[in-house]
Amino acid sequence: MTIKKINASDTWPIRQLVMWPDKPIEFVKITGEEKANHYGLYVEDQLVSVISCFESDGEIQFRKFATLIEKQNRGLGTYLLSYIINEAKSRNIKKIWCNARKGKTGYYEKFGMTNTCHEFSKEGIHYVVMEIQFA
């Protein structure tokens, strides 16, 4: 496994396939993502998991975290997210957070993230803000 910084456009096909397969690829593009850091996890030269990190005021919000469906439940996404969290800690980031799909909060709790109880819905999906405070 290898983690590399990638271009935003490299993330779009996986984002669409995993998160919004019924939407056009334009739907998974994020305003301002040209300023974000995008990471990809490769297995034998195949991009299998992606995450996009938006940094502001000493905080990182990760968005559009997705692993190909046929590669899920193998620890690949866990490896990628652990990398992002460890990088944030090493850079003295104050907080890392995400808008988690409500049914996935248990996954993020395994990383020490806590439920802020701030919830919202978008496109019929219910989300909750999850975070880790480092300082």
Side-chain angles (χ1 to χ4, degrees), residues 42-80:
Y42 290 81
V43 175
E44 298 177 3
D45 296 323
Q46 180 191 11
L47 181 59
V48 299
S49 188
V50 297
I51 193 167
S52 299
C53 298
F54 295 77
E55 187 173 340
S56 178
D57 299 322
E59 298 180 359
I60 292 175
Q61 178 191 19
F62 65 87
R63 300 181 66 185
K64 305 297 186 196
F65 175 37
T67 302
L68 290 174
I69 294 167
E70 66 272 16
K71 301 290 186 181
Q72 291 180 5
N73 301 311
R74 297 180 188 184
L76 301 171
T78 296
Y79 188 81
L80 180 57

Side-chain angles (χ1 to χ4, degrees), residues 65-101:
F65 175 37
T67 302
L68 290 174
I69 294 167
E70 66 272 16
K71 301 290 186 181
Q72 291 180 5
N73 301 311
R74 297 180 188 184
L76 301 171
T78 296
Y79 188 81
L80 180 57
L81 184 53
S82 294
Y83 175 90
I84 297 303
I85 291 170
N86 288 332
E87 183 177 276
K89 286 180 186 176
S90 74
R91 294 183 45 231
N92 296 314
I93 295 295
K94 297 183 293 189
K95 176 171 81 170
I96 189 166
W97 64 282
C98 71
N99 298 325
R101 290 182 184 218

